[in-house]
């Protein structure tokens, strides 16, 4: 055993000394325009060696006490290859936290490598790859602050998998966090994973951190991640690790129900579009000053290089600068790009108003005052203002509150009808499920309206859990009636899951006595005492095929009919109306 380890140690020392490590790069896509935001640098050992696999490579290095030496060799290999390939964007450079607190750690060594090849530290993100517990937080924090002072950015890798990711996030305040691929793969079918990702995104918005979703392998996963609002994505769907990766990705977003420009019902950034003239980066600064001086209504000018916006010129900054002595002589003939803000807020026209509002309020305050640039497939369209965004958000909130059910806060009749009409107009096939509580009135009479309201809220929460937040729509018609509109392909399975979850959650809402007898006595509508079974949930399911229904009235009528047939069966029942073959077939959940 010792002899084998000595051989591997010798092989590893030789690989490091001879520079035989190979660099690969996997692209990280910007969800704003589908282009490459940067690349993660990865390493492999010689192809014919046992140490080709990075797992073997780093395990042997750790066992032989060569982790710090290997880590530094990997950095040199990746940085050199990144510059040699002339890759655009940022380089995400993996660094093991243990090496930062290793006795042989030499501050400034990475910066020396960058200087040798001419790469700016502002383009490098130090990515902490946590393969073992980190105990000395103070020393680790000190080392990372040293990196940040030199211009590097910090990222935490595999958030949700490591030993102490959340603590590192809190302690180190990184510019980026990468969600572990476990939470990304399969999130289209897993409500808990979606909730985890949404929670991480929410924390990131409030801490000024950008989230990278790792492990994206399907268009559906990419679409869900994009709609949650995550701005960066990585995975085999976007690009596999390659020695010479493509410089341009031109990623296509083919998600369902993408908002269309100018659709007021959708509520997107395109609704706020204002036509603002663009300027070229090389236009003289004095010409920009004259534009602002001649037009008091002009608050900002976007700087566009060809079709892509690259910066923003702000009225107050330009006028203030030219009011100073000697500015016209010093800056007048220089290109306006020297005066522009190089990091304005740029959003796609299809960005929802909710997502745009989160971006503006969670980012720097200047975005609200200066406005934002609106693009379509990264092509300049115009601008939007913070004032118009606030007005539009207020209108949306007032409208949502007006038509929401006050008990569950779910969309009420008007939004349900509008959604059905829109999907009918767009000729999208979908499925309607009408849910109704059975024997709810006796329960309300026996347990009181407060307990009854809790039961209705439970039903709404259960339906939300079982519906896809991106593809599906959950509405509360009123009372104990709900409607779910499914774009998901597995509507029947989701309904069955909802019925079973409701049955299980329902047990805590009854007294032991009523559970034991499976029912209770209550007065009927004529005041006569009757025996009633426990509350259950029935649902009628109807597939809506383009051309079969003329209006939301017909869809609702068909769903109500299917629901009535479901209620004829005892217990929680799903009735599926089949328009081809047998007319209907019930399915029941055991009580």
């Amino acid at each position: 055993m010792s002899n084998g380890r000595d051989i591997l140690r010798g092989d590893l020392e030789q690989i490091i000394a001879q520079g035989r490590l190979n660099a690969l790069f996997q692209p990280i896509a910007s969800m704003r325009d589908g282009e490459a935001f940067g690349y993660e640098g990865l390493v492999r050992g010689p192809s014919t060696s046992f140490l080709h696999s990075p797992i073997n490579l780093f395990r042997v290095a750790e066992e032989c006490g060569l982790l710090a030496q290997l880590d530094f060799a990997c950095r040199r290999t990746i940085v050199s290859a990144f510059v040699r390939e002339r890759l655009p964007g940022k380089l995400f450079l993996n660094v093991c936290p243990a090496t930062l607190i290793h006795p042989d750690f030499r501050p400034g060594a990475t910066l020396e490598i960058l200087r040798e090849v001419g790469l700016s530290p502002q383009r490098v993100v130090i990515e902490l790859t946590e393969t073992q517990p980190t105990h000395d937080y103070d020393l680790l924090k000190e080392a990372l602050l040293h990196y940040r002072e030199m211009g590097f950015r910090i990222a935490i890798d595999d958030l949700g998998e490591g030993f102490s990711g959340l603590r590192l996030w809190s302690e180190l305040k990184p510019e980026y966090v990468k969600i572990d691929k476990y939470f990304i793969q399969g999130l289209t079918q897993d409500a808990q994973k979606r909730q985890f990702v949404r929670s991480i995104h929410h924390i990131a918005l409030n801490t000024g951190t950008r989230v990278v979703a790792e492990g994206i392998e399907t268009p559906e996963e990419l679409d869900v991640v994009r709609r949650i609002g995550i701005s960066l994505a990585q995975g085999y769907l976007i690009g596999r690790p390659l020695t010479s990766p493509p410089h341009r990705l031109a990623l296509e977003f083919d998600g369902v129900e993408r908002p269309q420009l100018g659709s007021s019902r959708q509520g997107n950034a395109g609704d706020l579009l204002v036509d603002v003239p663009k300027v070229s980066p090389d236009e003289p600064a004095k010409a920009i000053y004259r534009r602002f001086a001649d037009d008091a209504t002009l608050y900002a000018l976007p700087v566009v290089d060809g079709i892509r916006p690259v910066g923003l010129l702000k009225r107050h900054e330009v006028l203030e600068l030219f009011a100073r002595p000697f500015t016209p002589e010093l800056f007048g003939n220089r290109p306006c790009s020297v005066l522009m803000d190089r990091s304005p807020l740029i959003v796609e026209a299809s960005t929802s108003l909710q997502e745009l509002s989160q971006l503006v309020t969670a980012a720097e305050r200047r975005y609200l005052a200066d406005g934002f640039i609106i693009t379509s497939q990264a092509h300049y369209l115009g601008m939007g203002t913070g004032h118009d965004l606030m007005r539009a958000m207020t209108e949306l909130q007032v409208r949502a509150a007006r038509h929401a059910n006050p008990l569950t806060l779910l969309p009420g009749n008007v939004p349900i009808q509008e959604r059905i009409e829109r999907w009918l107009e767009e000729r999208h096939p979908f499925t309607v499920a009408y849910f109704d509580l059975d024997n709810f009135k006796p329960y309300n009479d026996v347990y009181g309206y407060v307990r009854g309201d809790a039961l209705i809220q439970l039903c709404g929460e259960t339906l939300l859990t079982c519906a896809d937040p991106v593809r599906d729509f959950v509405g509360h018609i009123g009372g104990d009636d709900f409607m779910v509109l499914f774009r998901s392909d597995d509507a029947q399975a989701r309904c069955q899951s909802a019925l079973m979850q409701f049955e299980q959650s329902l047990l805590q809402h009854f007294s032991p006595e009523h559970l034991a007898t499976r029912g209770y006595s209550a007065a009927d509508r004529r005041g006569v005492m009757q025996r009633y079974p426990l509350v259950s949930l029935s649902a009628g399911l109807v597939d809506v095929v383009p051309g079969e229904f003329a209006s939301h009235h017909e869809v609702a009528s068909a769903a109500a009919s299917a629901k009535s047939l479901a209620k004829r069966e005892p217990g929680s029942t799903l009735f599926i109306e089949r328009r081809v073959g047998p007319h209907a077939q019930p399915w029941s959940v055991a009580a």
Side-chain angles (χ1 to χ4, degrees):
M1 182 70 177
S2 177
N3 186 46
R5 179 176 295 177
D6 291 342
I7 293 174
L8 289 173
R9 180 189 179 94
D11 289 345
L12 180 56
E13 289 176 334
Q14 190 177 57
I15 289 171
I16 294 173
Q18 297 177 357
R20 293 168 58 201
L21 294 169
N22 301 305
L24 303 176
F25 298 96
Q26 186 173 27
I28 298 171
S30 166
M31 303 292 266
R32 187 182 71 202
D33 54 19
E35 294 289 353
F37 175 81
Y39 298 81
E40 179 180 356
L42 306 167
V43 291
R44 301 289 185 270
S47 59
T48 57
S49 169
F50 170 77
L51 300 177
H52 172 71
S53 162
I55 297 176
N56 296 339
L57 194 65
F58 281 90
R59 187 181 72 241
V60 170
E62 186 176 353
E63 291 175 352
C64 296
L66 297 173
L67 195 58
Q69 293 90 323
L70 175 63
D71 190 72
F72 184 76
C74 289
R75 289 185 229 177
R76 179 178 292 280
T77 299
I78 291 170
V79 168
S80 300
F82 183 81
V83 173
R84 186 170 59 249
E85 293 293 328
R86 299 189 177 187
L87 294 176
K90 295 188 180 296
L91 169 62
F92 283 70
L93 188 62
N94 287 303
V95 171
C96 179
T99 64
L100 301 180
I101 55 179
H102 193 277
D104 295 335
F105 173 70
R106 184 165 58 90
T110 304
L111 194 59
E112 289 178 10
I113 297 174
L114 299 186
R115 286 171 179 163
E116 289 174 9
V117 297
L119 184 64
S120 168
Q122 282 75 23
R123 293 186 60 194
V124 177
V125 179
I126 300 296
E127 184 172 326
L128 298 182
T129 303
E130 195 178 10
T131 57
Q132 54 187 327
T134 301
H135 300 294
D136 197 336
Y137 277 94
D138 291 337
L139 196 55
L140 176 62
K141 188 174 182 179
E142 182 181 342
L144 284 172
L145 288 176
H146 179 71
Y147 274 115
R148 186 170 279 140
E149 288 173 359
M150 291 188 292
F152 294 96
R153 299 294 180 263
I154 307 299
I156 295 177
D157 192 18
D158 296 335
L159 187 74
E161 181 195 45
F163 296 96
S164 50
L166 289 176
R167 180 175 175 183
L168 280 174
W169 190 352
S170 175
E171 294 273 345
L172 305 177
K173 298 177 176 56
E175 284 77 18
Y176 303 88
V177 294
K178 301 181 81 171
I179 301 179
D180 182 59
K181 63 183 179 181
Y182 166 81
F183 295 99
I184 300 300
Q185 294 174 351
L187 89 167
T188 54
Q189 294 85 33
D190 192 323
Q192 289 185 336
K193 286 186 177 182
R194 290 194 300 272
Q195 185 56 49
F196 177 87
V197 174
R198 277 196 295 268
S199 298
I200 292 300
H201 176 57
H202 179 73
I203 296 172
L205 285 173
N206 286 282
T207 56
T209 307
R210 299 191 69 177
V211 177
V212 182
E214 288 189 294
I216 293 178
E217 296 184 357
T218 69
E220 291 76 19
E221 290 168 353
L222 178 67
D223 191 60
V224 171
V225 164
R226 182 173 67 90
R227 292 182 181 280
I228 287 173
I230 291 174
S231 60
L232 300 170
Q234 182 179 359
Y236 284 172
L237 178 71
I238 294 160
R240 291 176 177 270
L242 296 172
T243 303
S244 300
H247 289 207
R248 295 179 61 85
L249 301 179
L251 193 65
E252 294 289 338
F253 294 124
D254 296 323
V256 297
E257 198 191 339
R258 185 161 65 183
Q260 301 298 314
L261 181 61
S263 169
S264 60
R265 284 191 299 175
Q266 295 280 356
N268 54 55
D271 299 329
L272 309 178
L273 188 64
V274 177
D275 186 17
V276 177
K278 60 186 179 181
V279 299
S280 170
D282 53 7
E283 187 165 339
K286 62 183 178 183
I288 301 302
Y289 165 72
R290 181 50 53 196
R291 285 202 190 196
F292 283 125
D294 292 343
D295 187 351
T297 65
L298 201 59
Y299 63 92
L301 282 171
V303 183
V304 181
D305 187 1
I307 57 175
R308 292 179 178 270
V310 295
L312 190 67
L313 293 160
K314 305 169 187 178
R315 175 186 182 83
H316 64 93
E317 290 184 355
V318 173
L319 294 182
E320 181 181 333
L321 179 64
F322 271 80
R324 298 174 185 172
F326 309 115
T327 292
E329 292 80 8
L330 294 173
F331 288 94
N333 293 317
R334 298 186 67 183
C336 66
S337 58
V338 302
L339 307 181
M340 71 182 184
D341 177 0
R342 297 180 179 274
S343 57
L345 180 59
I346 303 175
V347 297
E348 281 286 296
S350 59
T351 303
S352 70
L353 291 181
Q354 288 84 356
E355 179 186 345
L356 177 57
S357 177
Q358 288 177 329
L359 289 172
V360 171
T361 55
E364 298 179 40
R365 187 175 298 175
R366 60 189 174 90
Y367 290 152
L368 192 60
D370 300 334
F372 41 89
I373 296 173
I374 301 176
T375 59
S376 177
Q377 296 296 313
H379 295 190
Y380 174 73
L381 291 180
M383 290 193 62
T385 68
H387 175 270
D388 288 343
L389 172 61
M390 293 177 64
R391 175 181 50 77
M393 286 301 300
T394 301
E395 291 174 356
L396 281 178
Q397 291 168 357
V398 169
R399 185 177 183 279
R402 183 186 304 130
H403 297 296
N405 185 281
L407 180 59
T408 60
L409 301 181
L410 290 172
N413 275 318
V414 172
I416 294 171
Q417 294 169 8
E418 288 180 348
R419 184 62 62 99
I420 294 175
E421 287 291 351
R422 189 170 80 235
W423 285 2
L424 289 175
E425 291 170 7
E426 295 172 354
R427 300 187 67 80
H428 283 300
F430 60 97
T431 301
V432 177
Y434 194 138
F435 289 85
D436 185 16
L437 292 175
D438 305 316
N439 303 305
F440 177 69
K441 183 182 181 301
Y443 179 90
N444 221 24
D445 292 341
V446 171
Y447 286 93
Y449 74 90
V450 174
R451 299 281 293 275
D453 286 351
L455 215 57
I456 292 174
Q457 289 173 325
L458 171 65
C459 185
E461 292 166 1
T462 302
L463 297 180
L464 281 173
T465 300
C466 295
D468 186 309
V470 174
R471 296 175 178 269
D472 307 331
F473 179 90
V474 181
H476 187 174
I477 298 171
D480 57 338
D481 292 324
F482 294 82
M483 186 169 284
V484 183
L485 311 179
F486 290 100
R487 282 277 185 81
S488 300
D489 297 330
D490 55 347
Q492 180 177 340
R494 290 178 182 274
C495 288
Q496 292 171 349
S497 176
L499 297 187
M500 287 188 287
Q501 283 190 37
F502 186 77
E503 285 280 339
Q504 294 168 359
S505 303
L506 199 59
L507 299 179
Q508 59 183 324
H509 290 262
F510 295 101
S511 68
E513 176 189 352
H514 293 158
L515 284 175
T517 59
R518 305 300 298 172
Y520 37 74
S521 296
D524 62 15
R525 297 184 185 278
R526 295 171 296 178
V528 179
M529 296 299 292
Q530 299 283 350
R531 184 72 181 172
Y532 291 96
L534 301 179
V535 175
S536 56
L537 182 62
S538 294
L541 200 67
V542 177
D543 288 327
V544 179
V545 180
E548 279 197 5
F549 296 90
S551 69
H552 72 270
H553 297 290
E554 293 185 8
V555 173
S557 177
S561 176
K563 182 261 298 184
S564 297
L565 292 172
K567 291 178 75 70
R568 295 181 182 180
E569 299 291 327
S572 293
T573 303
L574 174 64
F575 185 94
I576 306 165
E577 181 177 327
R578 304 190 185 280
R579 291 183 171 263
V580 179
H583 178 66
Q585 178 178 336
W587 177 91
S588 297
V589 176

